[in-house]
Amino acid sequence: MLPGVSGVTLGRQWRRVQAKLPEDWVHARLSLTVTSPRQLDRAAALLGPLTPGRAADLLRFEVVRRGHAHSPAAVERALGRLDAERIRGTLELVGALDAPPAGYAATPATAADVSVAEAWDALVDELPEDWTDVYAQILLTSSDDLDPAALALAPINPGRYGPEVGFRFRCARSFGYGAAPGMVRRCFARLDELGIVGAPSILRVLSDTRPVGTQGPVWYVEGKAV
């Protein structure tokens, strides 16, 4: 793992990481540690088009060298949004490959071409094998889509949170609070059918929870139970 450089803008850190990538790299995985934990949710929202995963205080996402929504330029734009809001952190290279990993979509795509349902499938595939509860969000590219998206997502009980154009929701694997993963996928497929472009991301995940006398765990975000 290449060390990140705290105190340096994330855009500059990304350019340094690129300079150290092998000449034949095609696919790379990155992790971002945000300096202030209070800014972690905002950082995840700003990185939404890159569909970041979240593990403890880390945000993880990938970059594909050519012709994909996760291109180096898309990563630089996303990190630039964090720099613009003075969100500091350390960017690290987790690993690089000379070919896309098995099952990765190799066809060129723009953000509008990425299926929301398929993006959700990819996020679920990266979860720990024993995951039980997820707190996630879907960011939309246009505020005009908020009302039709809310109707399509109604079965997963979407909620607005902060200024972002999108919704947050809970997903439970087998019991408790939250919609089932299959229901989430069906709702996202409805967005695809309506032509609504969005980027899902997982904000928090719990594994092997076993509630006693309750329907499931509760997260507190800025003093509010979710």
Side-chain angles (χ1 to χ4, degrees):
M1 180 180 293
L2 294 175
V5 183
S6 59
V8 179
T9 65
L10 294 170
R12 181 173 294 180
Q13 289 184 49
W14 167 229
R15 290 188 286 276
R16 290 181 179 180
V17 168
Q18 287 188 88
K20 295 180 179 180
L21 285 168
E23 290 185 3
D24 60 349
W25 81 275
V26 172
H27 178 277
R29 292 184 179 275
L30 304 172
S31 70
L32 171 63
T33 303
V34 177
T35 302
S36 173
R38 294 182 179 180
Q39 294 180 306
L40 192 59
D41 287 346
R42 181 58 179 163
L46 292 172
L47 292 175
L50 302 178
T51 59
R54 184 165 173 173
D57 60 345
L58 289 176
L59 296 174
R60 294 175 177 169
F61 54 95
E62 56 193 14
V63 54
V64 179
R65 191 170 190 173
R66 296 184 181 89
H68 195 276
H70 291 202
S71 67
V75 171
E76 183 147 2
R77 287 194 297 271
L79 294 175
R81 291 193 289 270
L82 273 67
D83 288 333
E85 295 201 13
R86 299 183 182 276
I87 296 176
R88 299 292 180 249
T90 300
L91 185 69
E92 295 180 320
L93 174 65
V94 177
L97 301 172
D98 59 6
Y104 194 89
T107 55
T110 65
D113 293 325
V114 178
S115 161
V116 181
E118 290 177 355
W120 172 251
D121 290 340
L123 290 174
V124 173
D125 287 344
E126 292 184 356
L127 290 173
E129 292 185 0
D130 60 348
W131 78 272
T132 53
D133 302 89
V134 155
Y135 183 48
Q137 71 178 0
I138 171 73
L139 294 180
L140 308 177
T141 59
S142 172
S143 59
D144 292 339
D145 294 327
L146 282 171
D147 288 344
L151 183 60
L153 299 174
I156 67 174
N157 193 28
R160 295 295 309 281
Y161 194 96
E164 288 80 15
V165 180
F167 303 93
R168 293 188 179 185
F169 61 94
R170 290 193 55 160
C171 175
R173 189 173 191 176
S174 57
F175 59 85
Y177 299 115
M183 176 57 72
V184 175
R185 193 190 194 285
R186 285 194 291 274
C187 289
F188 283 170
R190 292 173 187 166
L191 296 185
D192 291 329
E193 293 169 1
L194 293 170
I196 296 175
V197 179
S201 60
I202 291 176
L203 303 178
R204 302 185 180 184
V205 59
L206 294 175
S207 296
D208 196 26
T209 57
R210 302 178 184 182
V212 176
T214 180
Q215 293 186 30
V218 174
W219 284 287
Y220 284 89
V221 179
E222 296 185 3
K224 297 180 179 180
V226 297

